[in-house]
Amino acid sequence: MIEAPMDAADADGDDDADRKVVEQERDELRKFVKGLSADDIKSGNWFTKLSAHAMNSYTEKVDWQYFQERYAGVPADAIVDQRVKMASRYAALEGGLSAGAYTATVAATIGSLGGASPATVPAAVATMMVDVAFITRLQLRLAYDVSVLYRVPLDLHDPEDLWKLIRVAFTIKSGEAVQKSVVKAVPAMVRPLVKRFYSGSVLTAGKALPVVGKHLLQRNVIKIGIPLVGVPLAVVLNRYTTLLAGRHAQAVFRNEARVIELAENLSKRSQHPELMLWVAWLVIRANRKIADDEALLMRHLVRLVRERHQVVDEQLAHLVDIDPAEVWQRIDAEPGDLSDILDVADRVATVDGDVNAREKAVISEIRDRCRRV
């Protein structure tokens, strides 16, 4: 198994060199597919096995330092852009290599898989599984690369982090958002096909990896035997779904990196770390709803205050409803310049978008009290 990222000089790399890399990857995956049973494919267990096969050693070798050695001094946005384009290029090349094998016979064999021996996988199904496994692994690793480049920590031994990576890599539970926004990046004539690829029931059930395997297999079956203006559909879908997966990963992890960066800056500048947490939480709870970015910001603020200032506020941790009067007392009790606290209030309010009326009212009161002090 090739455990390092598929690197190229640039997004428009040499055709022969790229094709050689793709063919080598396909050869490796044929060995993996040969180890699968028909039951593995029908049940979706192939994805569980592929995830471990694809990521275990990979995550040990690929970290932020790995990319720094190859792209020293280059901003993360530029590296991510190149890797997304390169991955979509590899996906298209692989689609071209597999498309010729997609015939009516393959489609019929997929449909009759239930009649296959549990211990054997028909050759036609194995042909399709190499394609599905290639794209699945490529998109999974691409999403992981993007998280590393934006320095968003993921521990794939943690079930929550693994599920997060899977959701991001395959746009699970957010297919609607992908269809409405990111899909605009692909040519107009391809959009109906890409939308169909993502359509149907969006996976919201549970975190069982076999369920994901069934989901991915079903949506890949539409590539079989359907030509598009003389270009095999496998090439088109492989390229653009990988492009969308990469752009989706970039949007998700870049946003999380933005929130982490904000938390680090606020913690670094704060002269009143404990009060900062109370003020931040008061602003977040101003409109009774907690946005994902707000929850993420609070989690990292608490972590950074603990790590940098050795402050652990048990009272805040056990709080159910925050009383503004408690925060006003804390502000009034602090002597000296509280401009850092006012800055925290302003920045926290904007982390999830525009400041609403309730947040403005809370910030106005904080401003008055900070100036009074």
Side-chain angles (χ1 to χ4, degrees):
M1 194 65 158
I2 298 173
E3 295 297 350
M6 295 190 291
D7 287 307
D10 53 54
D12 301 311
D14 177 70
D15 277 347
D16 291 338
D18 289 348
R19 187 177 296 274
K20 185 176 180 180
V21 171
V22 170
E23 288 176 341
Q24 186 179 356
E25 287 278 295
R26 280 167 54 85
D27 288 342
E28 293 287 344
L29 284 168
R30 282 193 191 94
K31 298 175 185 176
F32 167 77
V33 171
K34 283 181 180 178
L36 298 175
S37 69
D39 278 348
D40 286 332
I41 296 173
K42 287 185 292 184
S43 67
N45 277 332
W46 67 270
F47 180 74
T48 306
K49 294 183 176 183
L50 181 67
S51 298
H53 196 52
M55 301 306 295
N56 283 352
S57 300
Y58 187 80
T59 56
E60 293 176 3
K61 296 181 180 180
V62 179
D63 54 16
W64 188 76
Q65 188 61 38
Y66 176 94
F67 289 112
Q68 281 301 295
E69 291 173 359
R70 285 157 179 76
Y71 304 94
V74 181
D77 283 346
I79 305 173
V80 168
D81 183 71
Q82 289 297 298
R83 296 199 72 78
V84 170
K85 290 177 181 176
M86 184 178 65
S88 65
R89 176 179 173 78
Y90 280 128
L93 286 170
E94 194 282 332
L97 292 172
S98 66
Y102 281 158
T103 63
T105 304
V106 176
T109 307
I110 294 294
S112 63
L113 184 60
S117 165
T120 61
V121 177
V125 177
T127 297
M128 189 200 72
M129 284 306 301
V130 170
D131 177 32
V132 175
F134 183 98
I135 297 304
T136 298
R137 186 177 70 175
L138 180 66
Q139 294 179 359
L140 197 62
R141 287 182 172 179
L142 176 60
Y144 179 78
D145 289 349
V146 174
S147 76
V148 169
L149 285 163
Y150 284 121
R151 307 190 78 169
V152 174
L154 288 180
D155 177 5
L156 299 192
H157 295 293
D158 181 332
E160 290 296 324
D161 277 5
L162 176 60
W163 179 238
K164 177 180 180 178
L165 179 68
I166 290 169
R167 285 202 323 267
V168 172
F170 306 116
T171 65
I172 290 172
K173 210 174 179 180
S174 56
E176 296 88 350
V178 170
Q179 289 179 32
K180 292 177 182 176
S181 57
V182 187
V183 78
K184 293 178 181 178
V186 305
M189 75 173 189
V190 180
R191 288 176 196 167
L193 294 167
V194 174
K195 286 181 179 180
R196 184 181 168 195
F197 188 84
Y198 284 113
S199 68
S201 57
V202 178
L203 197 63
T204 57
K207 301 178 184 179
L209 297 189
V211 177
V212 180
K214 286 185 177 181
H215 173 75
L216 294 176
L217 187 59
Q218 288 166 3
R219 80 177 193 179
N220 272 275
V221 166
I222 73 167
K223 293 189 293 190
I224 297 175
I226 308 174
L228 176 70
V229 198
V231 179
L233 183 57
V235 174
V236 175
L237 278 180
N238 279 13
R239 176 186 289 277
Y240 287 111
T241 56
T242 300
L243 181 66
L244 294 185
R247 295 297 181 222
H248 181 61
Q250 182 175 24
V252 171
F253 290 124
R254 190 183 193 283
N255 179 67
E256 186 161 344
R258 172 187 68 87
V259 175
I260 293 173
E261 184 176 77
L262 173 59
E264 289 176 341
N265 290 337
L266 292 177
S267 174
K268 189 187 305 180
R269 294 197 299 262
S270 179
Q271 302 299 312
H272 309 84
E274 187 170 4
L275 179 57
M276 176 184 70
L277 295 180
W278 282 82
V279 168
W281 189 235
L282 180 65
V283 173
I284 289 171
R285 297 298 288 147
N287 61 349
R288 304 292 186 264
K289 295 180 180 179
I290 305 174
D292 289 343
D293 287 347
E294 291 176 325
L296 180 66
L297 175 62
M298 195 65 193
R299 179 160 62 88
H300 285 289
L301 277 176
V302 170
R303 173 182 62 82
L304 289 164
V305 164
R306 180 179 66 248
E307 293 174 358
R308 288 181 174 171
H309 302 281
Q310 289 73 54
V311 171
V312 178
D313 194 322
E314 293 293 344
Q315 184 180 348
L316 182 62
H318 291 96
L319 203 64
V320 176
D321 289 323
I322 188 166
D323 182 359
E326 169 78 13
V327 182
W328 308 148
Q329 289 176 7
R330 288 172 177 270
I331 293 176
D332 293 343
E334 289 287 347
D337 181 16
L338 293 181
S339 58
D340 61 311
I341 293 300
L342 183 55
D343 181 53
V344 166
D346 287 331
R347 301 291 296 277
V348 169
T350 61
V351 72
D352 63 332
D354 294 334
V355 182
N356 60 49
R358 289 183 176 178
E359 289 170 336
K360 287 179 180 177
V362 170
I363 292 172
S364 178
E365 180 68 21
I366 293 172
R367 180 178 295 107
D368 290 344
R369 289 179 179 274
C370 286
R371 288 175 177 171
R372 194 180 311 149
V373 171

